[in-house]
């Protein structure tokens, strides 16, 4: 798993975003804690949280020019 690799290699430390990214991944997968039981508000939160995490990861791993 890519998230585990980033954490294990120290590229995304557990204490500096790794835990959050991994936890968010676990609740957004289709086989997450309660598939099909999310209401519109929870789905909206997940979409916004994923958007924020992707933006964070893009900034964190931006190639140096």
């Amino acid at each position: 798993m890519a998230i585990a690799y980033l954490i294990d290699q120290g590229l995304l430390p557990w204490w500096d975003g790794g835990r959050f990214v991994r936890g968010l991944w676990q609740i957004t997968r289709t086989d997450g804690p309660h598939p099909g039981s999310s209401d519109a508000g929870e789905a909206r939160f997940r979409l916004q949280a994923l958007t924020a995490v992707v933006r964070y990861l893009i900034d964190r791993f931006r190639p140096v020019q």
Side-chain angles (χ1 to χ4, degrees), residues 7-9 12 14-15 17-19 21 24-26 31-32 34 39 41-42 46 57-58 64:
I7 292 169
D8 292 345
Q9 296 300 311
L12 184 63
W14 188 248
W15 49 265
R19 182 180 305 159
V21 172
L24 187 59
W25 174 252
Q26 290 174 338
D31 64 340
H34 303 290
D39 61 11
E42 186 174 350
R46 290 179 184 190
L57 291 173
I58 289 170
V64 177

Side-chain angles (χ1 to χ4, degrees), residues 26-52:
Q26 290 174 338
I27 68 168
T28 56
R29 295 185 340 211
T30 55
D31 64 340
H34 303 290
S37 64
S38 297
D39 61 11
E42 186 174 350
R44 191 175 309 108
F45 165 77
R46 290 179 184 190
L47 176 63
Q48 292 172 341
L50 280 171
T51 301

